[in-house]
Amino acid sequence: MATCYRCGRKIEDRRQLRRRVKTGEWVRRRYPKTSVSHTQAHFGMRIVCKWCAGQIDRSELRQRLHSDIAVLVALVLLVIAMLIFTWGR
């Protein structure tokens, strides 16, 4: 019987859901300075329960919406800048 990679619940459903989850992280520090100079996250496909799969899906949807909104705002600002530039002549 499989268990969820994120929360550890037993998955009794025959249909196992797989999602891309963070499986590790690698941090490089330069020791004269205490700050982190480089961070690399590792991801992999793992079996998760329905609840965790829903959370992952909602998180990815939220990130996509934020990036789409940022592109839309940039386009609107570009159009406004173009209108101001053409009317200013």
Side-chain angles (χ1 to χ4, degrees):
M1 180 176 294
T3 58
C4 178
Y5 182 79
R6 288 183 74 205
C7 66
R9 291 183 191 155
K10 291 185 178 181
I11 301 173
E12 297 173 358
D13 191 8
R14 284 186 174 265
R15 190 183 80 171
Q16 297 174 350
L17 302 172
R18 293 181 182 267
R19 295 293 185 270
R20 185 173 179 258
V21 296
K22 186 175 180 180
T23 56
E25 186 175 66
W26 181 74
V27 178
R28 180 187 301 176
R29 297 180 193 268
R30 296 190 184 252
Y31 283 102
K33 300 176 184 176
T34 58
S35 63
V36 173
S37 63
H38 183 76
T39 303
Q40 182 179 6
H42 300 276
F43 293 88
M45 296 297 283
R46 299 291 187 261
I47 296 172
V48 293
C49 63
K50 287 181 183 178
W51 189 77
C52 289
Q55 275 191 326
I56 293 169
D57 293 343
R58 283 188 294 277
S59 175
E60 288 176 359
L61 178 64
R62 190 177 308 118
Q63 288 175 352
R64 274 189 263 137
L65 284 174
H66 284 275
S67 65
D68 290 348
I69 289 172
V71 169
L72 183 63
V73 167
L75 287 174
V76 167
L77 290 175
L78 181 65
V79 168
I80 291 172
M82 288 175 60
L83 289 175
I84 290 173
F85 180 72
T86 56
W87 283 344
R89 288 184 162 188

